[in-house]
Amino acid sequence: MEGLLKEKLDVILSDFAQRVIDEYRTRLTNEDAIASKRLYSGLDYKIKVKSDKADVRLQLWDYWKYVDYGRQKGEDRQ
């Protein structure tokens, strides 16, 4: 029974993570924030389900914050 619950939770979390990625890609496209498509195509997620917790981590390039928020005065480019 526990294995089935973990499997179903994994499916639900995978669906959620993919929806977040799809929404972010839509936003990048709508805001014309795609320069090299590296950020757009590099989006991914990892899911870890254990008996007492589940962890969903979105994976994206470190410069996402500059695309989302811009570069502030005095910040180094990466």
Side-chain angles (χ1 to χ4, degrees):
M1 180 72 166
E2 190 174 307
L4 181 61
L5 289 175
K6 282 184 182 181
E7 187 176 311
K8 289 199 178 272
L9 182 59
D10 188 63
V11 169
I12 291 168
L13 293 175
S14 292
D15 182 55
F16 172 75
Q18 190 58 55
R19 286 177 187 224
V20 170
I21 287 173
D22 291 345
E23 181 64 30
Y24 191 63
R25 283 183 175 146
T26 298
R27 200 175 103 214
L28 288 172
T29 301
N30 290 344
E31 294 178 6
D32 198 27
I34 301 174
S36 67
K37 293 194 178 190
R38 183 176 168 202
L39 181 60
Y40 183 94
S41 62
L43 296 168
D44 202 2
Y45 63 90
K46 295 282 186 196
I47 296 174
K48 292 182 184 176
V49 178
K50 296 184 179 179
S51 60
D52 61 339
K53 67 179 179 176
D55 185 49
V56 179
R57 293 180 187 229
L58 296 177
Q59 297 178 312
L60 57 161
W61 292 99
D62 288 339
Y63 67 89
W64 70 269
K65 59 187 169 190
Y66 301 115
V67 173
D68 278 5
Y69 303 113
R71 195 170 71 90
Q72 302 300 315
K73 183 178 179 181
E75 287 183 321
D76 290 335
R77 289 186 168 211
Q78 293 189 8

